[in-house]
Amino acid sequence: MTLADAYPWLKALHVACALLFVGGVVAGGLLLAAGRAAADRIAPLAPVLRRWDRVVTVPAMLGVWAFGLGLAVSGGWFAEGWLRAKLVLVVVLSAVHGLQSGQVRRLAMGHGVKPVRVSALVVPAVVIIAVLAVIKP
Amino acid sequence: MAEATTLLLLVGAAVPLKHLGDWPTAVRVLGPVHGFAFVTYLWLVLQALGAGLLSRGEAARLALAAFVPVAGFLAAGPIVGRASARLDRGQGR
């Protein structure tokens, strides 16, 4: 199988991983927002999200990167501006998830959580990523 | 460690091979591998920052070390040691 043959499979797996990853980031953001408002009631949910993170969201994030880099190599797109912009935004999303994951760990251990202000970037970043990936301006 | 090693291989071997040896394949292979290692490293640093195991200064030093070849090997040891001690004591910032 050549890289060209693998392209539709890489794309399908990349999209599936992206959906699962973004779902995990949104869930983390919501849990932390609720945890700041009512830590005692929300803290018991933190270990559940941590397990989901370990089993689904983190592997999905690694899959997004692995399949995405495979797609970029197969398409020869590394010099394209749209891909560079998309890479920056996916680094931002990965960074937001890293911070959130640490905060969820704090919540699970019974410590207070601080606001992850960069979580506000998630929705615009996802919309811009979708436009860049589909339109390839 | 993986991030620092792939950066060293990229800058120390693959880039010279591309520009001096006219052999771009090494960069084409190592570039994405280093990118993957860089994102994983950044994620781990930010998770430790979010969990309160690293101060902002320590996280910034580790992040900067990712851009300088060899610095990753030197910076990681002492900071990771301090973070591990905090983890053992069950402390967070």
Side-chain angles (χ1 to χ4, degrees), chain A residues 9-112:
Chain A
W9 285 99
L10 288 172
K11 193 171 175 180
L13 291 169
H14 179 69
V15 171
C17 286
L19 292 171
L20 289 169
F21 172 56
V22 171
V25 175
V26 171
L30 286 174
L31 185 94
L32 289 171
R36 278 191 299 280
D40 50 335
R41 276 187 290 156
I42 298 299
L45 295 176
V48 180
L49 188 76
R50 280 195 76 193
R51 210 171 316 129
W52 181 260
D53 239 25
R54 258 200 310 271
V55 177
V56 178
T57 312
V58 172
M61 181 187 74
L62 297 176
V64 164
W65 278 101
F67 296 126
L69 289 169
L71 281 169
V73 169
S74 74
W77 291 321
F78 276 112
E80 306 267 343
W82 67 267
L83 181 66
R84 291 182 178 185
K86 185 170 177 275
L87 281 172
V88 169
L89 292 171
V90 186
V91 168
V92 169
L93 281 185
S94 304
V96 168
H97 181 253
L99 281 170
Q100 282 184 349
S101 175
Q103 290 276 298
V104 171
R105 181 184 179 153
R106 279 180 69 85
L107 189 62
M109 291 170 70
H111 299 300

Side-chain angles (χ1 to χ4, degrees), chain B residues 7-9 15 24 28 33 35 41-42 44 46 49-52 56 60 64 67-69 73-75 77 79 85-86:
Chain B
L7 179 61
L8 194 60
L9 285 172
V15 172
R28 225 175 283 157
V33 171
Y41 171 81
L42 184 70
L44 287 168
L46 288 169
L49 174 67
R56 282 183 184 200
L64 281 177
F67 294 92
V68 185
F73 294 110
L74 304 174
I79 294 177
R86 282 175 205 138

Side-chain angles (χ1 to χ4, degrees), chain A residues 111-124:
Chain A
H111 299 300
V113 291
K114 297 168 194 161
V116 181
R117 288 191 188 86
V118 282
S119 293
L121 296 173
V122 170
V123 172

